[in-house]
Amino acid sequence: MMEDTLKYKIVIDHIETLMKGQMKDQMIPSERSLSEHLKISRMTVRKAIDILVQQGKLYRVQNVGTFIQDQKLFKVFNTLSGFTDEVTASGSYVENDVLTFEEVPVTQVIKHKLNLKHDVFVYHLVRLRKKDGIPMMLQESYMPKDLFPLDASIVKHSIYRYIREHLKLGMSSSIQEITAIFANETAVNLLKLRPKTPTIQIEQVSYLDSGRIFEYTVSTINQNHYELIVQAMPMKGRAT
């Protein structure tokens, strides 16, 4: 079993190396070609390709071949999940470039967004968030300093995982406002967009199980690589 797993990984690593720098919808080598090149059985090659298809990295066209899938990240608005969870679920790796991390006095605007009763200090955080080295979103966040401790090592990784797994705090819900905007100069440069590119901005307020707001975040999305999906569910007891 261990040997089979190693062979799958050899095939997957080889195909992912071939995919780098290639355009979407480009055909990869055939199963036979990969089998002969890697000296690995076609059955193992086929299984490795199946895995990449399931991960959304490849797609098949019957009687034609296997092609590179558009590597967009999909966010479905039906659960409260962080960027790291979304990326790792897609089989990719996360990078967070921390551009700003500071403690600042709360402004009246942020005080209102976080529903704070007093003038306190808050964490101000700006991160460029990447999937497989591709900039996906520019994210500016504010969090109450009295709620939990943060430091440079924590914000380099997943804050949601830190809250959930280390602090053992439950996150109940978020309210998200989605707006179409023209990316500003900073976002254009960091997300590698064309000037005056129309894109999506998400303004989000997130709540702990206690009802306390723990985060106010504004995210500018790289719409070339990130797709938003809203899943509508029928209301119980309502006829359609």
Side-chain angles (χ1 to χ4, degrees), residues 81-95:
S81 61
F83 179 79
T84 298
D85 291 331
E86 295 165 11
V87 173
T88 53
S90 73
S92 299
Y93 69 91
V94 180
E95 292 177 82

Side-chain angles (χ1 to χ4, degrees), residues 177-188:
E177 181 178 335
I178 305 171
T179 308
I181 65 166
F182 286 104
N184 61 31
E185 184 177 356
T186 299
V188 164

Side-chain angles (χ1 to χ4, degrees), residues 10-11 14-15 18 29-42 45:
I10 291 172
V11 179
H14 179 73
I15 293 174
L18 293 176
S30 67
E31 291 177 5
R32 174 181 290 180
S33 175
L34 290 168
S35 174
E36 292 175 353
H37 177 74
L38 298 172
K39 295 181 172 52
I40 293 175
S41 73
R42 285 187 66 177
V45 170

